[in-house]
Amino acid sequence: MKTEEKIYRIGEIAEMFDLSKSTIRFYEEIGLFPNLKRSPGGLRLFSQEEINCIEDVECLKKTGMSLKDIAAYVSWK
């Protein structure tokens, strides 16, 4: 039996990671969420895949890695 994956909206993700919505939109703009889906109305729909990516991004930022390099890593991964 397949369980349904929880889907989050941008406000929930912002609160979860203590990030602004604009930061999350910027992350999308630079290609950090290549598989991000949208609702028929255009709302961003975040899955566990994007949550894992944000966790990686925040961890890599703490090492001093630039967002440009993180985006390259994400596209490679």
Side-chain angles (χ1 to χ4, degrees), residues 19-73:
L19 296 169
S20 68
K21 291 178 187 178
S22 62
T23 295
I24 297 168
R25 287 185 199 105
F26 179 71
Y27 285 178
E28 179 189 12
E29 188 178 307
I30 64 171
L32 296 182
F33 311 128
N35 300 317
L36 184 67
K37 294 182 179 31
R38 289 186 180 254
S39 72
L43 296 174
R44 292 167 181 86
L45 303 174
F46 294 85
S47 67
Q48 188 61 47
E49 180 179 349
E50 285 78 34
I51 290 172
N52 294 343
C53 183
I54 293 173
E55 288 172 344
D56 290 347
V57 168
E58 293 305 300
C59 184
L60 292 170
K61 279 174 40 181
K62 289 177 184 173
T63 70
M65 186 181 259
S66 71
L67 282 176
K68 180 181 176 184
D69 290 340
I70 293 170
Y73 168 77

